[in-house]
Structures are given as C-alpha cells and as structure tokens.
Amino acid sequence: MADALSLIPAAVQRNLSDKLYEKRKYAALEIENTVKNLASAGDHEKLSKVIDILVKEFAKSPQPNHRKGGVLALAAVTVGLSSAAPQYLEQIVPPVIDSFLDQDSRVRYYACEALYNIAKIVRGEFIFFFNQIFDALCKLSADSDPSVQSAAHVLDGLVKDIVTESDEFSVEEFIPLLKERMNVLNPFVRRFLVEWITVLDSVPDFDMLGFLPDFLDGLFNMLSDSSHEIRQHAVSALSEFLQEIKNSPCVDYGRMAEILVQRASSPDEFTRLTAITWINEFVKLGGDQLVRYYADILGAILPCISDKNEEIREVARETNEELRSIHVEPSDGFDVGAILSVAKRQLSSDHEATRIEALNWISALLNKHRAEVMCFLYDIFDTLLKALSDSSDDVVLLVLEVHAGIAKDPQHFRHLIVFLIHNFRSDSSLLERRGALIIRRLCVLLDAERVYRELSTILEGEDNLDFASTMVQALNLILLTSSELSKLRNILRGSLVNREGKELLVALYASWCHSPMAIISLCLLSQAYQHASVVIQSLVEEDMNVKFFVQLDKLIRLLETPIFAYLRLQLLEPGRYPWLLKTLYGLLMLLPQQSGAFRILQTRLKTIPTYSFSGGGDQISRAFSGVPFSQYMMHHHEDGDAEDYNVNSSHQGINFAARLQQFENVQNQHRGQARNKENYSNSTSSSSTSKEVRTSKEQQPPSLTSLSLAENNRPPARSSRKGSGH
C-alpha cells in the first residue's frame, strides 16, 4: 500500500481531501496528469494501483471530504486514460454509482458530476453499467436536495443520448427495470420514467410498442396523479402509443384489453375516459382478436353507459353498439355464457341505462344464438323474473320482450306464466304496480288468447282463493279496458254464434268463477245475458261485501265506455234482449241508492225509449216473470242451450247449467274460507275477554234472560233468509 501511495504525492492527497472545492479540483488535475503519464508508459499495474487507492482511501472513506475528492479523482483518471478508459471501467464506475446513495448531499452531487465526465469519455462502453445507472438515477430524481436533482437531470440527459446512439442497448432487458418502478407514486420518479419511455419510443430501432402491455397499467396510474405536469406527460405518451397502435399491423390487443377493463372502473374520471376511449379503438381495430375478452370488455362498458360524465357515456354507448354489431360464432371462441353472466350481473345495477343495455344484450343473444342461450336459461331466468319488479317501465318492457323471446317454445311459455303468477302471488305490490303493464305487453308480444288461456288454466287450480280472486279481477279489468285485447273481446262477443268464441268463453269461465263481478262482466261481454241474470240471482248476502261493491261500481262505470257501446245500443230493443234488461235491473237492485253507480245506471235505464217495448211483450214478460233460480236449473237443457229454454243451435252447445254449478262450487269455497277466517278472528279477539267473563261468572248458573238473548241474536238460517216468496 505504501508503494501505491507513493504514486500520488502527499500534497496531492492532502488537497484531494481538502474542504475547499478548488483545492480538490487542482488535486484531481494532478492525478489526471499522473494517469496520462502512466498510460503513455503502458504501466497498467500502476494504473490499477492508483485507482484502488482512490477507491479505498478516498471514495469509500468515512470522511465526507475524502469521498468528494475520491469521486472527482476517479473522473480525472477516466479523462487521463482517454481511449484506454473502458478496460478500467469496472474499477472506476461502481464506486461512483455507490456514492449516489451517500448520506452527504454534496457527495451525491459530485458523484453526478464525476459520472457525467466519465460518460462523456467512454460513451457507448457506458451501456454495460446501464441497469445500475438507471436504478441510481431513478432514486436521484426524487432526491431531497434540489442541486442533486439538477445534477442528476443533466447526467440523465447525457445517458439518454448515449442510449439512443448505441447499438448495444437492449430494450428487452430494460423493460423489467421499468415495469417494477411504474407503480411508484413519487411525482419526480414518475416524470423520470415517462421521459424515458417517451425517449426510447422515439427511436425507430426500439420496439417499445411490443412491450407496451408491461408498463401500460403504470401509465394509466399516472393519469390520476395530483401533478398536472405528470398527467400531461402520461397523456402525451399514451396518445403517441395509441396512434402507433392504429398504424401497426401487429398488436397484442388481448393483454392490454385486460388492463383497460380494470382501468375503466377507476374512481378517477379522466382515467375512465381514457380507458374507455382506448377500448373503443381496440374494438374497432381488433374486434376479431378480442373475442376471448368480449365478456370482460362488456363488463367495463355497461357501467360506463351510466357514468356521470357525458363524454364517457357517449364513448361507452358507441363502443357498446360497435361490439354488438360484430358477427362472431361460438366456434370462434365467443363465450355466450360469459356474456350472459355479465348481463345478468349488470341487471342489478342502480342505473337504468345500464340495466336497459344489459337486457338489449340478452335479447340480441337470444336472436343470434338462441340454442346457446337456452343452455344457460336457468342461470338467468330468476333474475329476469325479478327484473319485472324494476322501478323503470322501460326496463320492464324490455324484460317482457326477452321473456317473450324465450316463451316461443311451449314448455318455456308455460314456465313463464307459472313463474309470473308465482311472482304476483308473493309480491302483491307487483300486481298492483306492474300487473296491467306486464299482461298487456305479453299479449302484444305473444298471442293474447294464448296468454289468457294459460293464465286461466293455472288460476283454475290455485289454492290461494283470495289471490285467485284478486288476479282474476285484474285480468278481467285488463280484458275490458285494454286496446291490446280488442281482438279477444271481439272473439268473446261471438261466443253464442261461433265455436272459437264458445271455446274461449269456456276456457276463461273456470277461473273467472273466483270473482262474481268477473263472471258477470264476462257474460255481458259474451252477450250471455240470461246467464248473467241467473248468476246475479244466485248471489247471497255473504257475497256482498266491500270488495264486491267496489267491483260492481267499476263495472257500472265501464258500461258507459265505448267498449260496451254495442250493449247500450241493444237497450233500444228490449224486446229482442229482455235478459239484458233484467240483468241491468238486477245490478241496479244490488246497488245502494245513494251511490254514484246507482245514479249512473238508473239514468241509463231511464233513457230506454218507451216505444221500444212494443212488439216484445212476451219475451219481456217471460224474462221478468220471476222464474225461480231452482226452476232455471231444472229446465236448463244439458245440450248447452243457454239463452232460452228452447233448443237453439246457434249457442254452440254451451252447457250453462254446468257452468253455473261450477260457479256455485267455487263461490262456496270462497264463502267457506271467509267464514273460517271470520271464526278464527272472532275466537282470537274474544279469547282474552272470555277468560275474564268465565272467571267472574263460572259460579253463576245461566239465567233464562241470557238464554233468550242468545237465541234472539243467533243469525237466521239461509232458508229463512230467502223467505217464502223467494
């Protein structure tokens, strides 16, 4: 070591560790001259010893001033070596790079200066140490000392120049360095990284686009940086890459699509916009290559359709339409099940626009790939049924279109109607809010007669009698009022003259029996006026509750609508339609005189002109002759003649006596259930009071007065209520 130290004069050593920069600089120049002489003499052994002394005694010294002088001296050695410097770089460069981490900011500063001078001398040979230098510069870019940052920036510029000129630089080896630093949050480091990406991308020989998936996510991260400058750098870099993608014939869309899908749900608005814009371009440019990623892309697009930012909504809608217009088959890798799964998930979105587009996708898939959709039907069917309760009418209408598409198959049609009734049963508010809309729309999308026949068949066997009554009343009101069911009403009007009408009347009758007013309405619509009159006569006191009178009120008001115009015109010929007149008077007799419905019907009956009664006296007198209900049942022909006691082939063989018996049986079930409920309610409400009464009176024998009162308060039997003249 003493021999080695003798190569550097003692005065030079003292000056090299002096606190004054000028003295250290002077000493470095002395060393440069010494190195030049040794290099000229070709004494490589002494040169190595000089470098070792500078590293061990100065660059790695515990004294800051020694370290400052050491890095300056190493730079001076490189200058002195000139063209011979590359063979000594492994001795010179590592100690300088290590000084970048020195605790003393001045040492770090002089290390930057030294490495800059070294790089200027060796240029391309410098690439061998690029990874270590890049790592060091990345750290120095965020240095706490502004002067060190400035020095590092100058050095960084020189390194960039050397790299862009070099044939030895490997982008492939550089990318892992870049990738592992892309998620750093420090703004200075981010700027450093983006600048390197931009510089390398500007060199035609470097294929940065091929490695874009490795650092694309990091660039998108920077879009939400708090620094406007960083965001601008990231936007600029991304815009340049997107332009390159448009002009490149070979792009790895898949890996980048995965990143974009994640970024499309970013909480940062600008990041979402940029991501959805990229997805839009990807779908246009590489639609076929993205088949495997369609479901993921759709999962990103649908939420953006409801984004609060209008620009994002527009781009998302455009992308959605573009994606849906691409024609691909399952054989191409198109996963119908995955798309359905995404659409199903988005049906629970809080945003109407997203739910609508999810349904549009299901509808489109049903039209294009029906067989595949049917394989996944049970995965989505319950969700589609729940969507019928959606708060948006537009969503409900679209759901019904999807259901109608599914219900083209007979087994799925019945499945739909069964589940629909189940939903109405379990959610009464759905029937109130959406019942009419759902039934009317189904009648348009599917055949109205088919829908009503199926509903009637299912309701005929309904165990929940209250629900059956409510459901039938709703269906009856829709039948009487909806323009979509005008064809069905026309068929029913011909029930007594053609087979089609007769079959429909019989099909509906069984379930309509759950509601007296529904049956009467059906008879009026079918012009089965005599049967309507007999049904009215069959009603008993128990039937006439609040619900009954509400339904009756609705019917009376409906009689004044255009739908029943034919019926009102028939009142001009009471001789021809005597049972119609008796039916209307029967309804009038049931109404309270103070009610509005009573006044409406009474006014209508008063308008019948008196001359119209001439010529039909026999028929009218027969209709109003007071034929008892039991006599009607006895004389009613079993061959189906309904409107007269005489056989009339035009009635298509409807057995109204059997129909009436059917109505009576169903109504008896309703009456029995009502009595059971009432008894249960009375027993429950009186249980507590009866205990108290029993306690106070259990020791007292019943008096004659109490027995008399109990007998007087007992309700009369049905036979006694009818009276002898009934």
Side-chain angles (χ1 to χ4, degrees), residues 27 42 56 173 239 268 291 370 378 408 417 430 501 532 564 625 680:
K56 294 176 181 177
E173 293 178 7
S239 299
D268 179 67
V291 173
R370 182 178 182 83
Y378 290 99
K408 289 179 181 178
I417 302 301
L430 175 63
F564 283 104
S625 61
Y680 177 77

PDB file of all heavy atoms in Angstrom, residues 27 42 56 173 239 268 291 370 378 408 417 430 501 532 564 625 680:
ATOM      1  N   ALA A  27      -6.115  19.058  -7.224  1.00  0.00           N
ATOM      2  CA  ALA A  27      -5.524  17.743  -6.971  1.00  0.00           C
ATOM      3  C   ALA A  27      -5.974  16.735  -8.025  1.00  0.00           C
ATOM      4  O   ALA A  27      -5.186  15.880  -8.468  1.00  0.00           O
ATOM      5  CB  ALA A  27      -5.913  17.256  -5.581  1.00  0.00           C
ATOM      6  N   GLY A  42       2.326   2.733 -20.594  1.00  0.00           N
ATOM      7  CA  GLY A  42       1.727   1.398 -20.648  1.00  0.00           C
ATOM      8  C   GLY A  42       1.860   0.632 -19.365  1.00  0.00           C
ATOM      9  O   GLY A  42       1.803  -0.614 -19.364  1.00  0.00           O
ATOM     10  N   LYS A  56     -10.347   3.042  -2.266  1.00  0.00           N
ATOM     11  CA  LYS A  56     -10.313   2.605  -0.872  1.00  0.00           C
ATOM     12  C   LYS A  56     -10.043   3.743   0.096  1.00  0.00           C
ATOM     13  O   LYS A  56     -10.661   3.823   1.164  1.00  0.00           O
ATOM     14  CB  LYS A  56      -9.260   1.514  -0.705  1.00  0.00           C
ATOM     15  CG  LYS A  56      -9.598   0.224  -1.448  1.00  0.00           C
ATOM     16  CD  LYS A  56      -8.474  -0.793  -1.325  1.00  0.00           C
ATOM     17  CE  LYS A  56      -8.798  -2.065  -2.094  1.00  0.00           C
ATOM     18  NZ  LYS A  56      -7.680  -3.052  -2.043  1.00  0.00           N
ATOM     19  N   GLU A 173     -34.091  -6.088 -21.981  1.00  0.00           N
ATOM     20  CA  GLU A 173     -33.515  -6.133 -20.644  1.00  0.00           C
ATOM     21  C   GLU A 173     -33.919  -4.917 -19.815  1.00  0.00           C
ATOM     22  O   GLU A 173     -33.942  -4.968 -18.582  1.00  0.00           O
ATOM     23  CB  GLU A 173     -31.987  -6.205 -20.741  1.00  0.00           C
ATOM     24  CG  GLU A 173     -31.479  -7.510 -21.341  1.00  0.00           C
ATOM     25  CD  GLU A 173     -29.963  -7.528 -21.458  1.00  0.00           C
ATOM     26  OE1 GLU A 173     -29.319  -6.580 -20.944  1.00  0.00           O
ATOM     27  OE2 GLU A 173     -29.425  -8.462 -22.067  1.00  0.00           O
ATOM     28  N   SER A 239     -51.171   8.927 -25.871  1.00  0.00           N
ATOM     29  CA  SER A 239     -51.678   9.351 -27.187  1.00  0.00           C
ATOM     30  C   SER A 239     -50.745   8.889 -28.296  1.00  0.00           C
ATOM     31  O   SER A 239     -51.194   8.441 -29.364  1.00  0.00           O
ATOM     32  CB  SER A 239     -51.828  10.874 -27.230  1.00  0.00           C
ATOM     33  OG  SER A 239     -52.739  11.321 -26.252  1.00  0.00           O
ATOM     34  N   ASP A 268     -61.100   7.627 -10.761  1.00  0.00           N
ATOM     35  CA  ASP A 268     -60.706   8.881 -11.407  1.00  0.00           C
ATOM     36  C   ASP A 268     -61.401   9.016 -12.759  1.00  0.00           C
ATOM     37  O   ASP A 268     -61.319   8.131 -13.616  1.00  0.00           O
ATOM     38  CB  ASP A 268     -59.185   8.908 -11.606  1.00  0.00           C
ATOM     39  CG  ASP A 268     -58.717  10.180 -12.299  1.00  0.00           C
ATOM     40  OD1 ASP A 268     -58.832  11.265 -11.695  1.00  0.00           O
ATOM     41  OD2 ASP A 268     -58.252  10.084 -13.455  1.00  0.00           O
ATOM     42  N   VAL A 291     -62.179 -11.546 -29.211  1.00  0.00           N
ATOM     43  CA  VAL A 291     -63.335 -12.401 -28.933  1.00  0.00           C
ATOM     44  C   VAL A 291     -63.266 -12.988 -27.524  1.00  0.00           C
ATOM     45  O   VAL A 291     -64.265 -13.021 -26.794  1.00  0.00           O
ATOM     46  CB  VAL A 291     -63.438 -13.532 -29.985  1.00  0.00           C
ATOM     47  CG1 VAL A 291     -64.538 -14.506 -29.604  1.00  0.00           C
ATOM     48  CG2 VAL A 291     -63.711 -12.942 -31.358  1.00  0.00           C
ATOM     49  N   ARG A 370     -79.793 -18.516 -30.161  1.00  0.00           N
ATOM     50  CA  ARG A 370     -80.885 -18.990 -29.302  1.00  0.00           C
ATOM     51  C   ARG A 370     -80.549 -20.305 -28.605  1.00  0.00           C
ATOM     52  O   ARG A 370     -80.773 -20.463 -27.402  1.00  0.00           O
ATOM     53  CB  ARG A 370     -82.156 -19.155 -30.139  1.00  0.00           C
ATOM     54  CG  ARG A 370     -83.350 -19.602 -29.302  1.00  0.00           C
ATOM     55  CD  ARG A 370     -84.618 -19.723 -30.125  1.00  0.00           C
ATOM     56  NE  ARG A 370     -85.718 -20.115 -29.267  1.00  0.00           N
ATOM     57  CZ  ARG A 370     -86.435 -19.279 -28.527  1.00  0.00           C
ATOM     58  NH1 ARG A 370     -86.149 -17.989 -28.561  1.00  0.00           N
ATOM     59  NH2 ARG A 370     -87.412 -19.703 -27.771  1.00  0.00           N
ATOM     60  N   TYR A 378     -81.640 -21.332 -17.168  1.00  0.00           N
ATOM     61  CA  TYR A 378     -81.947 -21.416 -15.738  1.00  0.00           C
ATOM     62  C   TYR A 378     -80.995 -20.573 -14.893  1.00  0.00           C
ATOM     63  O   TYR A 378     -81.275 -20.291 -13.736  1.00  0.00           O
ATOM     64  CB  TYR A 378     -81.940 -22.880 -15.281  1.00  0.00           C
ATOM     65  CG  TYR A 378     -83.114 -23.649 -15.840  1.00  0.00           C
ATOM     66  CD1 TYR A 378     -82.968 -24.465 -16.958  1.00  0.00           C
ATOM     67  CD2 TYR A 378     -84.384 -23.517 -15.280  1.00  0.00           C
ATOM     68  CE1 TYR A 378     -84.052 -25.149 -17.490  1.00  0.00           C
ATOM     69  CE2 TYR A 378     -85.465 -24.198 -15.804  1.00  0.00           C
ATOM     70  CZ  TYR A 378     -85.304 -25.015 -16.910  1.00  0.00           C
ATOM     71  OH  TYR A 378     -86.378 -25.670 -17.440  1.00  0.00           O
ATOM     72  N   LYS A 408     -91.235 -18.543 -26.848  1.00  0.00           N
ATOM     73  CA  LYS A 408     -91.639 -19.081 -28.147  1.00  0.00           C
ATOM     74  C   LYS A 408     -91.739 -20.601 -28.097  1.00  0.00           C
ATOM     75  O   LYS A 408     -92.497 -21.206 -28.847  1.00  0.00           O
ATOM     76  CB  LYS A 408     -90.633 -18.648 -29.225  1.00  0.00           C
ATOM     77  CG  LYS A 408     -90.705 -17.169 -29.567  1.00  0.00           C
ATOM     78  CD  LYS A 408     -89.670 -16.796 -30.608  1.00  0.00           C
ATOM     79  CE  LYS A 408     -89.735 -15.294 -30.930  1.00  0.00           C
ATOM     80  NZ  LYS A 408     -88.698 -14.899 -31.910  1.00  0.00           N
ATOM     81  N   ILE A 417     -95.447 -18.266 -17.522  1.00  0.00           N
ATOM     82  CA  ILE A 417     -96.736 -17.891 -16.932  1.00  0.00           C
ATOM     83  C   ILE A 417     -96.832 -18.378 -15.487  1.00  0.00           C
ATOM     84  O   ILE A 417     -97.316 -17.660 -14.603  1.00  0.00           O
ATOM     85  CB  ILE A 417     -97.902 -18.458 -17.770  1.00  0.00           C
ATOM     86  CG1 ILE A 417     -97.821 -17.963 -19.217  1.00  0.00           C
ATOM     87  CG2 ILE A 417     -99.227 -18.045 -17.162  1.00  0.00           C
ATOM     88  CD1 ILE A 417     -97.872 -16.456 -19.374  1.00  0.00           C
ATOM     89  N   LEU A 430     -96.384  -5.910  -6.820  1.00  0.00           N
ATOM     90  CA  LEU A 430     -96.023  -6.077  -8.232  1.00  0.00           C
ATOM     91  C   LEU A 430     -97.275  -6.141  -9.087  1.00  0.00           C
ATOM     92  O   LEU A 430     -97.336  -5.526 -10.167  1.00  0.00           O
ATOM     93  CB  LEU A 430     -95.188  -7.350  -8.411  1.00  0.00           C
ATOM     94  CG  LEU A 430     -94.833  -7.712  -9.855  1.00  0.00           C
ATOM     95  CD1 LEU A 430     -93.964  -6.637 -10.486  1.00  0.00           C
ATOM     96  CD2 LEU A 430     -94.116  -9.063  -9.911  1.00  0.00           C
ATOM     97  N   GLY A 501    -115.399 -18.472 -30.237  1.00  0.00           N
ATOM     98  CA  GLY A 501    -115.816 -17.697 -29.081  1.00  0.00           C
ATOM     99  C   GLY A 501    -116.283 -18.580 -27.942  1.00  0.00           C
ATOM    100  O   GLY A 501    -115.994 -18.319 -26.767  1.00  0.00           O
ATOM    101  N   ALA A 532    -126.056 -14.224 -17.167  1.00  0.00           N
ATOM    102  CA  ALA A 532    -125.634 -13.140 -16.272  1.00  0.00           C
ATOM    103  C   ALA A 532    -126.721 -12.863 -15.242  1.00  0.00           C
ATOM    104  O   ALA A 532    -126.452 -12.672 -14.045  1.00  0.00           O
ATOM    105  CB  ALA A 532    -125.330 -11.883 -17.074  1.00  0.00           C
ATOM    106  N   PHE A 564    -118.477  -0.984 -24.412  1.00  0.00           N
ATOM    107  CA  PHE A 564    -119.825  -1.544 -24.250  1.00  0.00           C
ATOM    108  C   PHE A 564    -120.873  -0.738 -25.024  1.00  0.00           C
ATOM    109  O   PHE A 564    -122.059  -0.774 -24.683  1.00  0.00           O
ATOM    110  CB  PHE A 564    -120.199  -1.599 -22.766  1.00  0.00           C
ATOM    111  CG  PHE A 564    -119.552  -2.740 -22.029  1.00  0.00           C
ATOM    112  CD1 PHE A 564    -118.473  -2.517 -21.190  1.00  0.00           C
ATOM    113  CD2 PHE A 564    -120.013  -4.036 -22.189  1.00  0.00           C
ATOM    114  CE1 PHE A 564    -117.869  -3.560 -20.506  1.00  0.00           C
ATOM    115  CE2 PHE A 564    -119.420  -5.086 -21.500  1.00  0.00           C
ATOM    116  CZ  PHE A 564    -118.344  -4.857 -20.664  1.00  0.00           C
ATOM    117  N   SER A 625    -140.813 -12.672 -15.471  1.00  0.00           N
ATOM    118  CA  SER A 625    -141.887 -13.451 -14.854  1.00  0.00           C
ATOM    119  C   SER A 625    -141.526 -13.985 -13.485  1.00  0.00           C
ATOM    120  O   SER A 625    -142.349 -14.590 -12.830  1.00  0.00           O
ATOM    121  CB  SER A 625    -142.253 -14.639 -15.766  1.00  0.00           C
ATOM    122  OG  SER A 625    -141.121 -15.485 -15.927  1.00  0.00           O
ATOM    123  N   TYR A 680    -112.093 -17.642  13.081  1.00  0.00           N
ATOM    124  CA  TYR A 680    -110.769 -17.624  13.702  1.00  0.00           C
ATOM    125  C   TYR A 680    -110.466 -16.252  14.287  1.00  0.00           C
ATOM    126  O   TYR A 680    -109.956 -16.133  15.400  1.00  0.00           O
ATOM    127  CB  TYR A 680    -109.705 -18.000  12.675  1.00  0.00           C
ATOM    128  CG  TYR A 680    -108.296 -17.940  13.223  1.00  0.00           C
ATOM    129  CD1 TYR A 680    -107.796 -18.950  14.041  1.00  0.00           C
ATOM    130  CD2 TYR A 680    -107.470 -16.854  12.918  1.00  0.00           C
ATOM    131  CE1 TYR A 680    -106.516 -18.887  14.552  1.00  0.00           C
ATOM    132  CE2 TYR A 680    -106.186 -16.781  13.425  1.00  0.00           C
ATOM    133  CZ  TYR A 680    -105.711 -17.800  14.242  1.00  0.00           C
ATOM    134  OH  TYR A 680    -104.440 -17.727  14.741  1.00  0.00           O
TER     135      TYR A 680
END
